[in-house]
Amino acid sequence: MDYPRIVVVGSMNVDLVVKSARLPTPGETVIGGDFHEVHGGKGANQAVALARLGANCSMIAKVGSDRFGDDALEELAGEGLDVDQVTRAAHLKTGVAIIAIDERGENQISVASGANAALLPEDIDRAAGLLRHADMLVVQLEVPLATVKHALEMARAAGVRTLLDPAPVPAGGVDDAILSLVDYLKPNETEAEQLTGIKVLDEVTACRAAAELRRRGARHVVITLGGQGAVCDDGQLVRLVPGEEVATVDTTAAGDAFSAGLAVALARGQALDRAVAYANLVGALTVTRLGAHTSLPTAAEVLAFAEARGLKL
């Protein structure tokens, strides 16, 4: 098996999860939920998913000098990740996400960024050697935008392919100078609308949004549409790659699992539509399980899932 070298620049959180019958409305308290404490953060989710899918993965991140930081580092190291470039912020807490999940698997998430907000361009500079020798860089937007842009610039200068999961989209959006540094842009339908102003409801509107994002500089665009699958646009072929129908338990890590599946397949040389098909399988299997890291599948599990459905990888 090929073990591509993938660097993730992104967030590390502890997720405090309550699962109940339904999500509360503003000002309402819903009683009777189950509580779970799990590790998360979009960056760490994607890094763990990449490692489980067979990538040689390194993490560039920042955690606090607290118990949550200790636990998060220990867990990532236990997954076989290189955490030498995860630094500690002396006077900040590790990022925390408060997550409410209903019985359909839908969620509401509120994040206290903590040390994630202190991941700076100079942290990327200290890891320059690691980044320049990677097969792919994966980034998200739970760390400062200036840091994301610096990492993308360094990767572009070194000829390293880049994948941006633009979540959460900042209030001011993402400017074209950043999009032009992205080889693969992977928003969901909500993020695509926030980036383009085009309401994404179906394949047709997703194709319109993808074309607009390519016009603004992204080389390839993949817009996920939940259970419908994902629209991919490489500038020559635009198509919907259908998703897999499963019983949903928790969608918290679905987007991160999809991004990891996409990145590892692309880094192994798969064509975009084949990489999207693999990512659909990874995401579908993930939503059948509870939690962030606890839901992320291994490569062997994805293979077995595909074979059980009569699919070839």
Side-chain angles (χ1 to χ4, degrees), residues 18-24 30-34 100-104:
V18 174
K19 185 169 186 181
S20 52
R22 60 184 177 83
L23 298 175
V30 176
I31 300 295
D34 296 321
I101 304 172
D102 69 14
E103 61 186 8
R104 298 172 301 170

Side-chain angles (χ1 to χ4, degrees), residues 11-15 38-45 75-76 142 292-293:
S11 57
M12 291 176 62
N13 292 332
V14 171
D15 294 348
V38 294
H39 295 104
K42 293 190 71 63
N45 289 349
E75 197 235 2
L76 261 61
E142 286 185 337
H293 295 186

Side-chain angles (χ1 to χ4, degrees), residues 136 161-164 182-187 210-211 214 218-224 229-242 258-281:
M136 181 167 285
R161 288 185 294 169
T162 59
L163 186 151
L164 170 61
V182 176
D183 292 305
Y184 300 94
L185 180 69
K186 193 242 82 179
R214 285 194 64 259
R219 292 183 175 178
H220 307 80
V221 178
V222 176
I223 299 179
T224 57
V231 163
C232 56
D233 182 346
D234 65 2
Q236 296 180 332
L237 177 67
V238 185
R239 60 165 294 197
L240 173 70
V241 181
F258 182 99
S259 292
L262 182 64
V264 78
L266 290 168
R268 285 178 173 148
Q270 292 286 330
L272 182 60
D273 58 342
R274 291 289 304 277
V276 170
Y278 181 75
N280 278 338
L281 286 168

Side-chain angles (χ1 to χ4, degrees), residues 22-37:
R22 60 184 177 83
L23 298 175
T25 59
E28 181 187 18
T29 299
V30 176
I31 300 295
D34 296 321
F35 173 73
H36 304 269
E37 179 181 317

Side-chain angles (χ1 to χ4, degrees), residues 278-290:
Y278 181 75
N280 278 338
L281 286 168
V282 178
L285 185 52
T286 298
V287 303
T288 65
R289 303 167 172 177
L290 181 67

Side-chain angles (χ1 to χ4, degrees), residues 29-215:
T29 299
V30 176
I31 300 295
D34 296 321
F35 173 73
H36 304 269
E37 179 181 317
V38 294
H39 295 104
K42 293 190 71 63
N45 289 349
Q46 292 176 18
V48 170
L50 284 161
R52 291 184 186 175
L53 293 173
N56 183 348
C57 189
S58 301
M59 183 89 192
I60 303 174
K62 189 162 287 189
V63 296
S65 296
D66 54 14
R67 176 182 68 83
F68 285 160
D70 294 340
D71 292 347
L73 279 168
E74 182 179 352
E75 197 235 2
L76 261 61
E79 292 283 350
L81 280 136
D82 169 19
V83 294
D84 287 350
Q85 296 300 327
V86 178
T87 55
R88 309 293 289 259
H91 304 296
L92 293 171
K93 300 289 187 182
T94 299
V96 172
I98 309 297
I99 303 174
I101 304 172
D102 69 14
E103 61 186 8
R104 298 172 301 170
E106 297 300 320
N107 62 64
Q108 295 173 339
I109 305 174
S110 182
V111 176
S113 295
N116 293 311
L119 185 68
L120 302 176
E122 45 262 44
D123 294 305
I124 307 302
D125 290 336
R126 281 192 287 270
L130 179 70
L131 183 52
R132 288 173 182 145
H133 290 92
D135 295 309
M136 181 167 285
L137 166 69
V138 174
V139 289
Q140 326 77 35
L141 300 179
E142 286 185 337
V143 297
L145 207 54
T147 305
V148 170
K149 184 178 181 183
H150 191 63
L152 289 168
E153 288 171 337
M154 187 177 291
R156 177 58 59 86
V160 174
R161 288 185 294 169
T162 59
L163 186 151
L164 170 61
D165 181 345
V169 176
V174 178
D175 64 36
D176 295 359
I178 291 178
L179 295 180
S180 66
L181 297 167
V182 176
D183 292 305
Y184 300 94
L185 180 69
K186 193 242 82 179
N188 64 21
E189 60 265 62
T190 301
E191 294 147 6
E193 179 180 350
Q194 291 170 328
L195 291 169
T196 66
I198 298 169
K199 192 166 188 63
V200 177
L201 299 171
D202 51 24
E203 179 181 355
V204 172
T205 49
C207 289
R208 286 178 53 211
E212 172 62 13
L213 290 166
R214 285 194 64 259
R215 185 193 68 77

